[in-house]
Amino acid sequence: MVNMIRNSAIVLLTVAAIGLVWVIAYSPANDPVATDSQADTLSWDNDDPQFYKVSFDSSMQMSSGAGNNDFQVTIRSGLVMSVLSAGSQDTRVGFKLSNLSFRISGQSDPEMNRFLQKPFRVTFSRSGVPLQFEFSEGLNEQEQTILENLIRTFTVSISGDKNSWTSQESVASGTYKASYERTDSGTFEKSKSHFEAANASPMFNGAEIASTELIELYSGQNWLSRMTIDETLESKSTSGPSIRVHNRASIKLSSGNTFSVTKDQWNFAAAEPEQSAPDAESKKVKMSVEEARRSLKTKIAILDSTEQGRSTVIHELKDLLRVDGSIPQFLLLQMQTGEITDRTRADLYLALELAATTEAQAALTDVVTQPDWSTRDSMRALVALAGITDPSPQTLTVLWDTAHAQRGQISTTATYSLGSVGSRMKATDNPEYLTLRDSLLNQAFSAGDTNERVTFIHSLGNTRDAEIAPEIGTFLQDSDPSVRRAAALSLGLMQSTYSTESLVAQFDKESDSQVRGAIAQSLKHLPIADSAPVMESMNRAIVSERDESARYAMANFLASNLDKHPDYKADLKQLMREEPSKRIRQAIGEALAKQ
């Protein structure tokens, strides 16, 4: 689970990037086997730079067990892009923001604004896929991530000859389905729908996107002339924060050069990417322990007294935590004895997570296990531990012990964290992952308490391990509907034929509304070889379904498959006329409008 409160700049840009999209060039839509011999590939202009004006406004509301948080991000900027070299296989393009104003909840960070205006380079494949990013020296990890997230959202898939088509497109938060409609030779309408479960980050799995986008291409060229976006994203999670994001954006080709461009500015030596925690330990900051402690206290004071440059300070703290094994415990002492604002405390947990050393993990586990830390601190420490890629044996032991400790939400969070850690261990081929997975399975099957069983099933879903889908599928036959619902949602995170087949088989015989809704929600994100029988079943069930949330999930499934089954259009029109729920009517209406 991602702690969005602690790192709002990165999260807001990751979320906001869903909406800020424009054309670098255009390529065949949804064609995974496109080759360089195809006619409708990129034609990069090697001479003339393109100048744009960008306006972007995003608001985000997040609710979780820790309370509600609202954020806003505002971007006003110029942007120049210039082709540096165009080859037969790839193209290198220079980018630079200019006159940038970047604000989060009304606060501007001049240091971040300055660094985000450094030139950077991106190498694209001939079909427009970003292959490599090269950043100027001085850009920290967060600033590089912001720029990369923006660029990864810049490409759209335009078909050279079709009037309407769909495409699977990827951004930082995952892969979503995009639908395009050509209104004339150079104008298009685009809309987005849900993130695909297999490719979405955990916080956006199953998120719904309602968008209206207008795209205009420059006459006779493949460059964007203008684009406007208005969209809403909603993610309602049972195991993490619920999120609602509203984005409004515009991008317009500028006829005049508002800032000077020379290709020499992109002749910088690429900065070395920051190493992950294990490798970074060999590149510790060289200073004495006493110097590191003094510097750490200074950095904490800076965090406590400024709104600017906080991300840089957090990464400096991360480096200080790696100087010596005693520094993480020294940081805990400062948190216990000093008067530190709540925002700074949250940032310090992020610094420990980023440090990720054995000693930093030990400090986090101390916060979880020692009684003189608050529940809020324990929850933050557990969230930080969930982000560790290479957990120490002590970290795993503490997570297990806490999961069994009967500490309410703290124990539940620890259990979910075990699944999230397992997903990272699996991705890195950690040999200890199988032991962790088998232990989670054993707990799910042996738990006598229903709530405990449900929690472990959700944790297994967080591993996203398709190999255990058959074991999770057995819980669909449990007598308790909350267990069946947990199994249905977890199967939706496991991309496998078994997941699809077991959920399809369960839908018609399922008696509980909440479980039927969970099945519909998961099936929407799973590949279905023959969706016709499922469409028929859900179309029949939605008419008599009394539970609004279940109807909403079914309506979204029907709407997402309408392009493959247009014969259901009349049924959905009738359903929209009779449906009392505004959000269901809206979901159906948006789907019908695309047909």
Side-chain angles (χ1 to χ4, degrees), residues 39 75 163 208 281 286 289 316 335 438 488 505 519 552 582:
I75 299 173
N163 289 323
E208 300 296 331
E281 291 196 58
K286 294 182 179 180
V289 174
E316 291 170 346
M335 295 173 68
D438 291 345
I519 293 174
Y552 180 70
K582 180 180 179 180

Side-chain angles (χ1 to χ4, degrees), residues 218-423:
Y218 188 71
S219 177
Q221 298 291 331
N222 57 356
W223 303 112
L224 183 74
S225 174
R226 184 170 67 97
M227 185 173 184
T228 60
I229 300 167
D230 190 339
E231 70 179 6
T232 302
L233 176 145
E234 290 190 86
S235 176
K236 297 181 178 180
S237 172
T238 59
S239 59
S242 296
I243 305 165
R244 186 180 190 277
V245 179
H246 182 216
N247 297 324
R248 294 178 64 88
S250 65
I251 178 80
K252 185 177 181 180
L253 187 66
S254 177
S255 58
N257 180 357
T258 58
F259 47 94
S260 61
V261 176
T262 61
K263 291 192 176 183
D264 290 342
Q265 66 185 312
W266 286 292
N267 291 336
F268 57 83
E272 290 291 328
E274 184 170 338
Q275 301 297 310
S276 60
D279 292 333
E281 291 196 58
S282 63
K283 297 185 177 182
K284 293 178 179 178
V285 176
K286 294 182 179 180
M287 63 173 63
S288 69
V289 174
E290 289 304 317
E291 288 174 330
R293 290 182 176 183
R294 288 196 300 270
S295 181
L296 184 140
K297 292 175 71 172
T298 299
K299 300 300 181 186
I300 293 175
I302 292 173
L303 276 180
D304 238 15
S305 61
T306 185
E307 295 290 330
Q308 301 176 3
R310 296 181 68 88
S311 62
T312 300
V313 178
I314 292 169
H315 280 265
E316 291 170 346
L317 281 165
K318 171 206 66 180
D319 293 333
L320 291 171
L321 289 165
R322 292 173 176 170
V323 168
D324 183 81
S326 66
I327 303 299
Q329 288 296 330
F330 182 76
L331 174 61
L332 292 191
L333 180 63
Q334 306 311 303
M335 295 173 68
Q336 287 180 310
T337 60
E339 294 185 2
I340 301 174
T341 65
D342 187 66
R343 180 180 180 183
T344 296
R345 292 179 75 87
D347 287 340
L348 296 179
Y349 285 111
L350 175 58
L352 286 165
E353 177 185 337
L354 292 173
T357 61
T358 300
E359 294 83 3
Q361 294 182 51
L364 290 169
T365 58
D366 283 349
V367 174
V368 176
T369 58
Q370 294 179 2
D372 47 349
W373 293 92
S374 69
T375 297
R376 190 179 186 88
D377 284 311
S378 295
M379 294 287 286
R380 282 172 167 165
L382 286 168
V383 168
L385 289 170
I388 300 295
T389 298
D390 186 20
S392 68
Q394 180 186 1
T395 291
L396 293 176
T397 297
V398 168
L399 288 176
W400 276 113
D401 290 346
T402 307
H404 291 300
Q406 303 298 319
R407 295 175 64 185
Q409 188 59 37
I410 290 177
S411 293
T412 299
T413 302
T415 307
Y416 290 158
S417 295
L418 282 166
S420 298
V421 167
S423 176

